[in-house]
């Protein structure tokens, strides 16, 4: 859960984006301040709503790179 540092960091960023949006900040400024794009925010928010804190864990990275290697060879 939130004892995972990656999950805690993503949750913090979601809350920060929500506060900035409430304060009428635009996405360009939010991206500069928080370091995530609008699409990343909505992806994380959706995963949080559907999967709970587990949804904020990083996805497996090895799978995509293994597929890319196969395509290259």
């Amino acid at each position: 859960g939130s004892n995972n540092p990656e999950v805690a960091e993503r949750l913090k960023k979601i809350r920060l984006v929500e506060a900035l949006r409430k304060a009428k900040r635009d996405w360009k400024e939010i991206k500069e301040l928080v370091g995530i794009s609008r699409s990343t925010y909505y992806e994380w928010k959706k995963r949080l709503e559907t999967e709970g804190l587990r949804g904020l864990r990083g996805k497996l990275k090895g799978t995509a790179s293994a597929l890319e290697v196969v395509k290259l060879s």
Side-chain angles (χ1 to χ4, degrees):
S2 62
N3 61 348
N4 176 321
E6 181 181 32
V7 170
E9 183 66 22
R10 288 179 175 189
L11 189 57
K12 186 171 95 176
K13 287 183 178 188
I14 287 171
R15 290 183 175 146
L16 186 53
V17 169
E18 289 169 347
L20 290 167
R21 290 299 293 158
K22 227 177 214 181
K24 308 284 190 220
R25 304 298 179 115
D26 65 27
W27 281 105
K28 183 176 184 272
E29 185 178 8
I30 290 170
K31 186 174 182 179
E32 290 171 7
L33 292 170
V34 183
I36 63 170
S37 67
R38 181 179 180 166
S39 60
T40 297
Y41 164 75
Y42 282 113
E43 178 187 334
W44 289 357
K45 182 112 172 104
K46 182 180 177 187
R47 287 179 12 202
L48 179 62
E49 290 169 359
T50 58
E51 303 172 47
L53 291 174
R54 270 188 317 188
L56 293 182
R57 284 189 290 201
K59 299 296 179 188
L60 294 175
K61 294 177 182 116
T63 308
S65 45
L67 289 173
E68 289 170 0
V69 169
V70 170
K71 285 180 186 176
L72 293 173
S73 51

